[in-house]
């Protein structure tokens, strides 16, 4: 993966070759920089939206579907390194499903 600066330079070179008679390289570079920054901003917004959806899912799971005091989260790994996570009843003393998940993640 290229750095932002490398990406800007590559795209600036491509555009500059096409429009060299109409705009100078610095104007082109400024334009490409704005495009890259906007793309990064939109990607960050998508990530934030997905995190919010994950949080809503976990809220639903914790508040509606699961009584966290009665669950235990476990992880199984086979000899190939494949992992599987599960939730089972065990009288876990975590105060919330989030804490149970965090505890399971810290163990792995």
């Amino acid at each position: 993966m290229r750095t932002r600066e490398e990406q800007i330079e590559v795209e600036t070179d491509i555009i500059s070759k096409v429009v060299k008679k109409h705009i100078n390289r610095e104007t082109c570079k400024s334009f490409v920089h704005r495009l890259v920054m906007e793309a990064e901003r939109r990607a960050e917004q998508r990530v934030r939206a997905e995190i919010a959806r994950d949080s809503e899912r976990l809220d639903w799971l914790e508040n509606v579907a699961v009584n966290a005091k009665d669950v235990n989260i476990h992880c199984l790994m086979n000899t190939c390194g494949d992992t599987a996570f599960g939730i089972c009843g065990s009288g876990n003393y975590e105060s919330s499903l989030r804490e149970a998940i965090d505890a399971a993640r810290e163990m792995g």
Side-chain angles (χ1 to χ4, degrees):
M1 177 180 277
R2 293 183 283 199
T3 66
R4 178 188 305 145
E5 291 75 22
E6 291 170 335
Q7 184 177 359
I8 290 170
E9 286 300 322
V10 168
E11 300 305 325
T12 298
D13 288 344
I14 292 168
I15 293 172
S16 292
K17 289 175 183 173
V18 173
V19 296
K20 63 183 173 183
K21 294 180 182 178
H22 304 288
I23 60 173
N24 64 37
R25 181 173 172 74
E26 286 307 310
T27 302
C28 184
K29 187 173 182 177
S30 175
F31 172 72
V32 170
H33 183 267
R34 287 194 311 270
L35 290 176
V36 168
M37 296 304 291
E38 178 63 16
E40 287 182 7
R41 185 184 68 77
R42 288 182 183 184
E44 288 172 1
Q45 287 177 336
R46 285 190 301 273
V47 168
R48 278 192 221 100
E50 185 59 31
I51 289 169
R53 284 190 294 274
D54 286 347
S55 184
E56 289 171 4
R57 291 177 188 117
L58 187 53
D59 287 343
W60 177 85
L61 183 63
E62 183 173 80
N63 295 325
V64 176
V66 177
N67 180 349
K69 293 179 181 167
D70 296 331
V71 300
N72 185 21
I73 297 176
H74 60 275
C75 173
L76 302 172
M77 181 181 292
N78 66 19
T79 56
C80 296
D82 298 327
T83 57
F85 292 90
I87 299 174
C88 62
S90 69
N92 189 354
Y93 295 107
E94 304 295 344
S95 63
S96 74
L97 184 59
R98 290 172 193 261
E99 288 180 11
I101 291 170
D102 289 343
R105 291 179 66 205
E106 288 175 10
M107 290 175 51

